[in-house]
Short mmCIF file of all heavy atoms in Angstrom, two decimals:
data_model
loop_
_atom_site.label_atom_id
_atom_site.label_comp_id
_atom_site.label_asym_id
_atom_site.label_seq_id
_atom_site.Cartn_x
_atom_site.Cartn_y
_atom_site.Cartn_z
N MET A 190 -16.58 -1.10 3.61
CA MET A 190 -15.44 -0.96 2.75
C MET A 190 -14.90 0.48 2.78
O MET A 190 -15.70 1.41 2.83
CB MET A 190 -15.86 -1.27 1.27
CG MET A 190 -16.25 -2.70 1.05
SD MET A 190 -14.86 -3.81 1.11
CE MET A 190 -15.20 -4.70 -0.38
N ASP A 191 -13.63 0.61 2.84
CA ASP A 191 -13.04 1.91 2.95
C ASP A 191 -11.83 1.95 1.99
O ASP A 191 -11.00 1.01 2.01
CB ASP A 191 -12.60 2.15 4.42
CG ASP A 191 -12.22 3.56 4.64
OD1 ASP A 191 -12.60 4.42 3.82
OD2 ASP A 191 -11.52 3.81 5.66
N GLU A 192 -11.80 2.96 1.14
CA GLU A 192 -10.64 3.11 0.24
C GLU A 192 -9.87 4.33 0.63
O GLU A 192 -10.40 5.35 0.92
CB GLU A 192 -11.14 3.23 -1.21
CG GLU A 192 -9.99 3.49 -2.19
CD GLU A 192 -10.41 3.53 -3.65
OE1 GLU A 192 -11.15 2.63 -4.08
OE2 GLU A 192 -10.06 4.47 -4.34
N PHE A 193 -8.53 4.15 0.61
CA PHE A 193 -7.69 5.31 0.89
C PHE A 193 -6.44 5.22 -0.01
O PHE A 193 -6.05 4.14 -0.46
CB PHE A 193 -7.36 5.50 2.31
CG PHE A 193 -6.91 4.23 3.02
CD1 PHE A 193 -5.56 3.91 3.05
CD2 PHE A 193 -7.81 3.42 3.65
CE1 PHE A 193 -5.14 2.78 3.68
CE2 PHE A 193 -7.42 2.29 4.28
CZ PHE A 193 -6.05 1.93 4.28
N VAL A 194 -5.83 6.38 -0.18
CA VAL A 194 -4.58 6.46 -0.99
C VAL A 194 -3.48 7.02 -0.13
O VAL A 194 -3.64 8.09 0.49
CB VAL A 194 -4.85 7.38 -2.19
CG1 VAL A 194 -3.59 7.45 -3.08
CG2 VAL A 194 -6.03 6.86 -3.04
N LEU A 195 -2.36 6.36 -0.12
CA LEU A 195 -1.20 6.83 0.63
C LEU A 195 -0.09 7.22 -0.30
O LEU A 195 0.07 6.58 -1.38
CB LEU A 195 -0.69 5.74 1.58
CG LEU A 195 -1.73 5.19 2.59
CD1 LEU A 195 -1.17 3.97 3.31
CD2 LEU A 195 -2.09 6.27 3.57
N THR A 196 0.65 8.22 0.02
CA THR A 196 1.85 8.59 -0.73
C THR A 196 3.05 7.85 -0.13
O THR A 196 3.30 8.05 1.12
CB THR A 196 2.05 10.08 -0.72
OG1 THR A 196 0.89 10.70 -1.28
CG2 THR A 196 3.29 10.48 -1.56
N VAL A 197 3.78 7.13 -0.94
CA VAL A 197 4.85 6.29 -0.40
C VAL A 197 6.12 6.59 -1.23
O VAL A 197 6.08 6.53 -2.45
CB VAL A 197 4.51 4.83 -0.56
CG1 VAL A 197 5.66 3.92 -0.12
CG2 VAL A 197 3.27 4.48 0.25
N THR A 198 7.19 6.89 -0.54
CA THR A 198 8.47 7.14 -1.23
C THR A 198 9.32 5.92 -1.26
O THR A 198 9.20 5.02 -0.45
CB THR A 198 9.24 8.28 -0.58
OG1 THR A 198 9.46 7.91 0.81
CG2 THR A 198 8.48 9.59 -0.62
N GLY A 199 10.20 5.82 -2.25
CA GLY A 199 11.17 4.76 -2.35
C GLY A 199 10.89 3.77 -3.41
O GLY A 199 11.75 2.91 -3.68
N MET A 200 9.70 3.83 -4.06
CA MET A 200 9.44 2.82 -5.09
C MET A 200 10.11 3.26 -6.42
O MET A 200 9.96 4.41 -6.86
CB MET A 200 7.91 2.70 -5.42
CG MET A 200 7.12 2.12 -4.31
SD MET A 200 5.38 1.84 -4.79
CE MET A 200 4.75 3.49 -4.63
N ASP A 201 10.84 2.31 -7.05
CA ASP A 201 11.55 2.62 -8.30
C ASP A 201 11.07 1.81 -9.50
O ASP A 201 11.39 2.17 -10.61
CB ASP A 201 13.04 2.37 -8.11
CG ASP A 201 13.67 3.22 -7.07
OD1 ASP A 201 13.32 4.46 -7.00
OD2 ASP A 201 14.42 2.74 -6.25
N CYS A 202 10.38 0.75 -9.23
CA CYS A 202 10.04 -0.13 -10.35
C CYS A 202 8.88 -1.07 -9.98
O CYS A 202 8.37 -1.00 -8.85
CB CYS A 202 11.27 -0.96 -10.77
SG CYS A 202 11.79 -2.15 -9.48
N ARG A 203 8.54 -1.89 -10.88
CA ARG A 203 7.38 -2.84 -10.63
C ARG A 203 7.67 -3.78 -9.47
O ARG A 203 6.75 -4.17 -8.71
CB ARG A 203 7.10 -3.61 -11.93
CG ARG A 203 5.94 -4.61 -11.82
CD ARG A 203 4.62 -3.93 -11.58
NE ARG A 203 3.62 -4.86 -11.08
CZ ARG A 203 2.68 -4.57 -10.18
NH1 ARG A 203 2.58 -3.33 -9.68
NH2 ARG A 203 1.81 -5.49 -9.81
N ALA A 204 8.93 -4.15 -9.31
CA ALA A 204 9.28 -5.08 -8.21
C ALA A 204 9.03 -4.45 -6.87
O ALA A 204 8.55 -5.10 -5.94
CB ALA A 204 10.75 -5.52 -8.31
N CYS A 205 9.27 -3.12 -6.75
CA CYS A 205 8.97 -2.42 -5.52
C CYS A 205 7.42 -2.43 -5.29
O CYS A 205 7.01 -2.62 -4.14
CB CYS A 205 9.45 -0.97 -5.61
SG CYS A 205 11.22 -0.77 -5.73
N GLU A 206 6.71 -2.16 -6.31
CA GLU A 206 5.22 -2.16 -6.21
C GLU A 206 4.79 -3.54 -5.70
O GLU A 206 3.94 -3.63 -4.78
CB GLU A 206 4.58 -1.95 -7.57
CG GLU A 206 4.86 -0.55 -8.15
CD GLU A 206 4.38 -0.43 -9.58
OE1 GLU A 206 3.90 -1.42 -10.13
OE2 GLU A 206 4.56 0.68 -10.15
N GLU A 207 5.34 -4.61 -6.26
CA GLU A 207 4.91 -5.97 -5.84
C GLU A 207 5.31 -6.27 -4.40
O GLU A 207 4.58 -6.93 -3.69
CB GLU A 207 5.50 -7.01 -6.80
CG GLU A 207 4.80 -6.97 -8.14
CD GLU A 207 5.49 -7.84 -9.18
OE1 GLU A 207 6.60 -8.39 -8.88
OE2 GLU A 207 4.94 -7.98 -10.31
N ARG A 208 6.46 -5.73 -3.95
CA ARG A 208 6.90 -5.94 -2.60
C ARG A 208 5.89 -5.30 -1.62
O ARG A 208 5.50 -5.89 -0.63
CB ARG A 208 8.32 -5.34 -2.42
CG ARG A 208 9.00 -5.78 -1.19
CD ARG A 208 10.51 -6.13 -1.45
NE ARG A 208 11.15 -5.13 -2.30
CZ ARG A 208 11.92 -4.16 -1.92
NH1 ARG A 208 12.10 -3.95 -0.61
NH2 ARG A 208 12.52 -3.34 -2.74
N ILE A 209 5.49 -4.09 -1.93
CA ILE A 209 4.49 -3.44 -1.12
C ILE A 209 3.19 -4.16 -1.13
O ILE A 209 2.53 -4.42 -0.14
CB ILE A 209 4.35 -2.00 -1.53
CG1 ILE A 209 5.56 -1.19 -1.14
CG2 ILE A 209 3.06 -1.37 -0.95
CD1 ILE A 209 5.59 0.25 -1.57
N GLU A 210 2.70 -4.50 -2.35
CA GLU A 210 1.40 -5.16 -2.47
C GLU A 210 1.35 -6.49 -1.73
O GLU A 210 0.37 -6.76 -1.06
CB GLU A 210 1.12 -5.39 -3.97
CG GLU A 210 0.77 -4.09 -4.71
CD GLU A 210 0.75 -4.21 -6.24
OE1 GLU A 210 1.12 -5.29 -6.75
OE2 GLU A 210 0.42 -3.23 -6.84
N ARG A 211 2.42 -7.26 -1.76
CA ARG A 211 2.46 -8.53 -1.03
C ARG A 211 2.41 -8.27 0.47
O ARG A 211 1.71 -8.95 1.18
CB ARG A 211 3.76 -9.34 -1.39
CG ARG A 211 3.57 -10.24 -2.61
CD ARG A 211 4.65 -11.29 -2.65
NE ARG A 211 5.96 -10.70 -2.63
CZ ARG A 211 6.60 -10.29 -3.74
NH1 ARG A 211 6.06 -10.46 -4.96
NH2 ARG A 211 7.83 -9.77 -3.70
N SER A 212 3.18 -7.31 0.95
CA SER A 212 3.24 -7.06 2.36
C SER A 212 1.92 -6.51 2.91
O SER A 212 1.42 -6.94 3.95
CB SER A 212 4.37 -6.04 2.62
OG SER A 212 4.55 -5.84 4.04
N VAL A 213 1.32 -5.61 2.15
CA VAL A 213 0.06 -4.99 2.57
C VAL A 213 -1.07 -6.06 2.53
O VAL A 213 -1.95 -6.08 3.40
CB VAL A 213 -0.35 -3.82 1.70
CG1 VAL A 213 -1.77 -3.34 1.92
CG2 VAL A 213 0.65 -2.64 1.96
N ALA A 214 -1.01 -6.95 1.53
CA ALA A 214 -2.06 -7.96 1.39
C ALA A 214 -2.06 -8.87 2.63
O ALA A 214 -3.10 -9.52 2.89
CB ALA A 214 -1.84 -8.77 0.12
N ARG A 215 -0.94 -9.02 3.31
CA ARG A 215 -0.87 -9.89 4.49
C ARG A 215 -1.58 -9.24 5.68
O ARG A 215 -1.86 -9.96 6.67
CB ARG A 215 0.61 -10.16 4.81
CG ARG A 215 1.11 -11.34 4.00
CD ARG A 215 2.41 -11.89 4.61
NE ARG A 215 3.51 -10.94 4.57
CZ ARG A 215 4.40 -10.84 3.55
NH1 ARG A 215 4.30 -11.62 2.52
NH2 ARG A 215 5.37 -9.98 3.61
N ALA A 216 -1.77 -7.92 5.64
CA ALA A 216 -2.47 -7.25 6.76
C ALA A 216 -3.98 -7.69 6.68
O ALA A 216 -4.54 -7.92 5.61
CB ALA A 216 -2.40 -5.73 6.62
N GLY A 217 -4.57 -7.88 7.80
CA GLY A 217 -5.95 -8.37 7.84
C GLY A 217 -6.91 -7.40 7.17
O GLY A 217 -6.76 -6.16 7.28
N GLY A 218 -7.91 -7.97 6.50
CA GLY A 218 -9.02 -7.15 6.02
C GLY A 218 -8.75 -6.37 4.72
O GLY A 218 -9.55 -5.55 4.29
N VAL A 219 -7.60 -6.60 4.12
CA VAL A 219 -7.29 -5.93 2.81
C VAL A 219 -7.95 -6.63 1.66
O VAL A 219 -7.70 -7.79 1.41
CB VAL A 219 -5.73 -5.85 2.63
CG1 VAL A 219 -5.42 -5.24 1.27
CG2 VAL A 219 -5.08 -4.97 3.72
N ARG A 220 -8.83 -5.92 1.01
CA ARG A 220 -9.55 -6.46 -0.15
C ARG A 220 -8.79 -6.25 -1.47
O ARG A 220 -8.89 -7.04 -2.36
CB ARG A 220 -10.92 -5.80 -0.23
CG ARG A 220 -11.88 -6.20 0.90
CD ARG A 220 -12.16 -7.73 0.87
NE ARG A 220 -13.14 -8.03 1.85
CZ ARG A 220 -14.43 -8.08 1.60
NH1 ARG A 220 -14.91 -7.83 0.41
NH2 ARG A 220 -15.27 -8.46 2.54
N ARG A 221 -8.14 -5.07 -1.54
CA ARG A 221 -7.47 -4.73 -2.77
C ARG A 221 -6.33 -3.77 -2.49
O ARG A 221 -6.47 -2.92 -1.65
CB ARG A 221 -8.45 -4.08 -3.74
CG ARG A 221 -7.99 -4.05 -5.18
CD ARG A 221 -9.17 -3.82 -6.15
NE ARG A 221 -9.67 -2.39 -6.03
CZ ARG A 221 -10.90 -2.11 -5.80
NH1 ARG A 221 -11.83 -3.01 -5.68
NH2 ARG A 221 -11.27 -0.83 -5.70
N VAL A 222 -5.20 -4.02 -3.13
CA VAL A 222 -4.06 -3.08 -2.96
C VAL A 222 -3.38 -2.89 -4.27
O VAL A 222 -3.11 -3.87 -5.02
CB VAL A 222 -3.06 -3.56 -1.84
CG1 VAL A 222 -2.62 -4.98 -2.08
CG2 VAL A 222 -1.86 -2.61 -1.80
N SER A 223 -3.08 -1.65 -4.61
CA SER A 223 -2.42 -1.35 -5.90
C SER A 223 -1.40 -0.28 -5.69
O SER A 223 -1.72 0.85 -5.26
CB SER A 223 -3.50 -0.93 -6.94
OG SER A 223 -2.85 -0.45 -8.09
N ALA A 224 -0.14 -0.62 -5.94
CA ALA A 224 0.97 0.36 -5.78
C ALA A 224 1.42 0.83 -7.16
O ALA A 224 1.43 0.07 -8.12
CB ALA A 224 2.11 -0.27 -5.03
N ASP A 225 1.78 2.15 -7.22
CA ASP A 225 2.17 2.72 -8.46
C ASP A 225 3.47 3.53 -8.25
O ASP A 225 3.42 4.61 -7.57
CB ASP A 225 1.07 3.64 -9.01
CG ASP A 225 1.38 4.21 -10.39
OD1 ASP A 225 2.57 4.32 -10.72
OD2 ASP A 225 0.42 4.53 -11.07
N HIS A 226 4.58 3.09 -8.77
CA HIS A 226 5.88 3.75 -8.47
C HIS A 226 5.98 5.02 -9.26
O HIS A 226 6.82 5.86 -8.91
CB HIS A 226 7.02 2.79 -8.83
CG HIS A 226 7.35 2.65 -10.22
ND1 HIS A 226 6.66 1.78 -11.09
CD2 HIS A 226 8.26 3.26 -11.06
CE1 HIS A 226 7.17 1.86 -12.31
NE2 HIS A 226 8.14 2.72 -12.30
N VAL A 227 5.16 5.24 -10.29
CA VAL A 227 5.27 6.47 -11.09
C VAL A 227 4.68 7.62 -10.36
O VAL A 227 5.23 8.73 -10.31
CB VAL A 227 4.60 6.28 -12.48
CG1 VAL A 227 4.59 7.58 -13.22
CG2 VAL A 227 5.30 5.18 -13.29
N THR A 228 3.52 7.36 -9.67
CA THR A 228 2.86 8.42 -8.97
C THR A 228 3.15 8.40 -7.46
O THR A 228 2.68 9.26 -6.72
CB THR A 228 1.31 8.29 -9.13
OG1 THR A 228 0.89 7.02 -8.61
CG2 THR A 228 0.92 8.38 -10.60
N ASP A 229 3.94 7.38 -7.00
CA ASP A 229 4.21 7.20 -5.54
C ASP A 229 2.98 6.99 -4.74
O ASP A 229 2.94 7.26 -3.56
CB ASP A 229 4.96 8.43 -5.00
CG ASP A 229 6.42 8.47 -5.39
OD1 ASP A 229 6.95 7.46 -5.91
OD2 ASP A 229 7.03 9.54 -5.30
N ARG A 230 1.94 6.40 -5.35
CA ARG A 230 0.68 6.21 -4.65
C ARG A 230 0.46 4.73 -4.42
O ARG A 230 0.74 3.92 -5.27
CB ARG A 230 -0.48 6.78 -5.43
CG ARG A 230 -0.43 8.27 -5.68
CD ARG A 230 -0.63 9.05 -4.43
NE ARG A 230 -0.30 10.45 -4.63
CZ ARG A 230 -1.10 11.33 -5.16
NH1 ARG A 230 -2.28 11.00 -5.53
NH2 ARG A 230 -0.68 12.59 -5.26
N VAL A 231 -0.13 4.46 -3.25
CA VAL A 231 -0.60 3.12 -2.94
C VAL A 231 -2.09 3.23 -2.58
O VAL A 231 -2.45 3.94 -1.67
CB VAL A 231 0.14 2.48 -1.77
CG1 VAL A 231 -0.42 1.10 -1.42
CG2 VAL A 231 1.67 2.36 -2.09
N THR A 232 -2.93 2.59 -3.41
CA THR A 232 -4.39 2.63 -3.19
C THR A 232 -4.81 1.31 -2.57
O THR A 232 -4.46 0.23 -3.03
CB THR A 232 -5.07 2.83 -4.55
OG1 THR A 232 -4.57 3.95 -5.18
CG2 THR A 232 -6.57 2.97 -4.38
N VAL A 233 -5.58 1.45 -1.47
CA VAL A 233 -5.95 0.27 -0.74
C VAL A 233 -7.42 0.27 -0.42
O VAL A 233 -8.00 1.34 -0.12
CB VAL A 233 -5.19 0.25 0.63
CG1 VAL A 233 -5.43 -1.10 1.35
CG2 VAL A 233 -3.70 0.44 0.41
N VAL A 234 -8.07 -0.86 -0.54
CA VAL A 234 -9.43 -1.06 -0.12
C VAL A 234 -9.44 -2.06 1.06
O VAL A 234 -8.93 -3.18 0.88
CB VAL A 234 -10.33 -1.51 -1.25
CG1 VAL A 234 -11.77 -1.78 -0.74
CG2 VAL A 234 -10.35 -0.53 -2.40
N VAL A 235 -9.99 -1.67 2.21
CA VAL A 235 -10.12 -2.58 3.33
C VAL A 235 -11.56 -2.76 3.68
O VAL A 235 -12.41 -1.85 3.47
CB VAL A 235 -9.33 -2.04 4.57
CG1 VAL A 235 -7.82 -1.95 4.28
CG2 VAL A 235 -9.83 -0.66 5.02
N ASP A 236 -11.85 -3.93 4.25
CA ASP A 236 -13.17 -4.12 4.81
C ASP A 236 -13.12 -3.81 6.29
O ASP A 236 -12.16 -3.20 6.79
CB ASP A 236 -13.68 -5.58 4.53
CG ASP A 236 -12.76 -6.62 5.15
OD1 ASP A 236 -12.05 -6.31 6.12
OD2 ASP A 236 -12.75 -7.76 4.65
N ARG A 237 -14.14 -4.18 7.04
CA ARG A 237 -14.23 -3.77 8.42
C ARG A 237 -13.16 -4.38 9.31
O ARG A 237 -12.88 -3.92 10.41
CB ARG A 237 -15.62 -4.06 9.00
CG ARG A 237 -16.67 -3.20 8.36
CD ARG A 237 -18.07 -3.65 8.63
NE ARG A 237 -18.40 -3.55 10.05
CZ ARG A 237 -19.59 -3.92 10.54
NH1 ARG A 237 -20.50 -4.46 9.75
NH2 ARG A 237 -19.83 -3.81 11.81
N ALA A 238 -12.55 -5.49 8.86
CA ALA A 238 -11.46 -6.10 9.60
C ALA A 238 -10.13 -5.38 9.36
O ALA A 238 -9.16 -5.65 10.10
CB ALA A 238 -11.35 -7.58 9.21
N GLY A 239 -10.09 -4.52 8.38
CA GLY A 239 -8.83 -3.85 8.02
C GLY A 239 -8.72 -2.46 8.68
O GLY A 239 -9.67 -1.94 9.21
N SER A 240 -7.53 -1.97 8.66
CA SER A 240 -7.31 -0.61 9.20
C SER A 240 -6.15 0.08 8.48
O SER A 240 -5.22 -0.59 7.99
CB SER A 240 -6.99 -0.65 10.70
OG SER A 240 -5.68 -1.12 10.90
N GLU A 241 -6.20 1.38 8.39
CA GLU A 241 -5.13 2.14 7.76
C GLU A 241 -3.83 1.94 8.52
O GLU A 241 -2.76 1.86 7.98
CB GLU A 241 -5.47 3.60 7.65
CG GLU A 241 -4.50 4.41 6.88
CD GLU A 241 -4.88 5.82 6.61
OE1 GLU A 241 -6.12 6.07 6.42
OE2 GLU A 241 -4.04 6.70 6.53
N THR A 242 -3.92 1.83 9.82
CA THR A 242 -2.75 1.61 10.65
C THR A 242 -2.03 0.30 10.28
O THR A 242 -0.80 0.28 10.13
CB THR A 242 -3.15 1.54 12.18
OG1 THR A 242 -3.82 2.72 12.53
CG2 THR A 242 -1.93 1.36 13.05
N ALA A 243 -2.79 -0.75 10.07
CA ALA A 243 -2.16 -2.01 9.71
C ALA A 243 -1.57 -1.94 8.26
O ALA A 243 -0.51 -2.50 8.04
CB ALA A 243 -3.22 -3.15 9.75
N VAL A 244 -2.22 -1.22 7.38
CA VAL A 244 -1.70 -1.02 6.01
C VAL A 244 -0.37 -0.25 6.09
O VAL A 244 0.59 -0.63 5.44
CB VAL A 244 -2.73 -0.32 5.12
CG1 VAL A 244 -2.11 0.14 3.87
CG2 VAL A 244 -3.91 -1.22 4.89
N ARG A 245 -0.36 0.80 6.85
CA ARG A 245 0.85 1.59 6.99
C ARG A 245 2.00 0.71 7.50
O ARG A 245 3.17 0.84 7.08
CB ARG A 245 0.62 2.78 7.88
CG ARG A 245 -0.19 3.89 7.19
CD ARG A 245 -0.56 4.96 8.20
NE ARG A 245 -1.22 6.08 7.54
CZ ARG A 245 -0.67 7.17 7.16
NH1 ARG A 245 0.63 7.41 7.43
NH2 ARG A 245 -1.33 8.12 6.55
N ALA A 246 1.68 -0.13 8.50
CA ALA A 246 2.71 -1.01 9.06
C ALA A 246 3.21 -1.99 8.02
O ALA A 246 4.44 -2.30 7.98
CB ALA A 246 2.10 -1.77 10.27
N GLY A 247 2.35 -2.45 7.17
CA GLY A 247 2.77 -3.35 6.06
C GLY A 247 3.69 -2.70 5.09
O GLY A 247 4.66 -3.32 4.63
N ILE A 248 3.45 -1.46 4.79
CA ILE A 248 4.33 -0.70 3.84
C ILE A 248 5.69 -0.48 4.52
O ILE A 248 6.70 -0.68 3.88
CB ILE A 248 3.68 0.64 3.48
CG1 ILE A 248 2.42 0.39 2.65
CG2 ILE A 248 4.65 1.55 2.73
CD1 ILE A 248 1.57 1.60 2.39
N THR A 249 5.66 -0.11 5.78
CA THR A 249 6.94 0.11 6.51
C THR A 249 7.71 -1.21 6.58
O THR A 249 8.91 -1.23 6.38
CB THR A 249 6.66 0.62 7.91
OG1 THR A 249 5.86 1.82 7.80
CG2 THR A 249 7.91 0.93 8.64
N ALA A 250 7.00 -2.31 6.81
CA ALA A 250 7.67 -3.61 6.94
C ALA A 250 8.33 -4.01 5.61
O ALA A 250 9.34 -4.74 5.60
CB ALA A 250 6.66 -4.69 7.38
N ALA A 251 7.77 -3.53 4.51
CA ALA A 251 8.37 -3.85 3.20
C ALA A 251 9.57 -2.94 2.92
O ALA A 251 10.23 -3.13 1.89
CB ALA A 251 7.31 -3.64 2.11
N GLY A 252 9.84 -1.97 3.74
CA GLY A 252 11.03 -1.18 3.60
C GLY A 252 10.78 0.15 2.92
O GLY A 252 11.78 0.79 2.46
N PHE A 253 9.56 0.65 2.98
CA PHE A 253 9.24 1.89 2.30
C PHE A 253 8.64 2.90 3.31
O PHE A 253 8.16 2.45 4.39
CB PHE A 253 8.25 1.66 1.14
CG PHE A 253 8.83 0.83 0.06
CD1 PHE A 253 8.76 -0.55 0.07
CD2 PHE A 253 9.52 1.41 -0.99
CE1 PHE A 253 9.28 -1.35 -0.87
CE2 PHE A 253 10.08 0.61 -2.01
CZ PHE A 253 9.98 -0.73 -1.90
N GLU A 254 8.68 4.17 2.98
CA GLU A 254 8.25 5.17 3.91
C GLU A 254 6.90 5.79 3.39
O GLU A 254 6.79 6.18 2.27
CB GLU A 254 9.26 6.30 4.02
CG GLU A 254 9.00 7.28 5.13
CD GLU A 254 10.05 8.37 5.22
OE1 GLU A 254 11.12 8.24 4.58
OE2 GLU A 254 9.79 9.38 5.89
N VAL A 255 5.94 5.88 4.36
CA VAL A 255 4.71 6.51 4.03
C VAL A 255 4.81 8.00 4.36
O VAL A 255 5.13 8.39 5.43
CB VAL A 255 3.54 5.93 4.87
CG1 VAL A 255 2.18 6.56 4.49
CG2 VAL A 255 3.45 4.41 4.66
N LYS A 256 4.55 8.80 3.27
CA LYS A 256 4.67 10.26 3.48
C LYS A 256 3.35 10.86 3.94
O LYS A 256 3.33 11.88 4.64
CB LYS A 256 5.06 10.92 2.13
CG LYS A 256 6.56 10.82 1.84
CD LYS A 256 7.36 11.61 2.86
CE LYS A 256 8.80 11.65 2.43
NZ LYS A 256 9.67 12.17 3.52
N SER A 257 2.25 10.34 3.47
CA SER A 257 0.95 10.89 3.88
C SER A 257 -0.11 9.86 3.60
O SER A 257 0.12 8.90 2.87
CB SER A 257 0.65 12.21 3.12
OG SER A 257 0.52 11.94 1.78
CU1 LIG B 187 12.04 -1.43 -7.53
#
């Protein structure tokens, strides 16, 4: 299990958070994902099947930009 936190710009409300959470959850190996538009943070827990690269791709696919 690996947890990491990404800074994501463009989230304005709970609907944005849910859009990211749904998209990231579709990436393989994601155990938990929590987006917070107030702090611009997306916290993700992946198992060995998951990767930060896939999570970042999921955020981008949802229409948001990963800053770090
Ligand atoms: Cu929104």
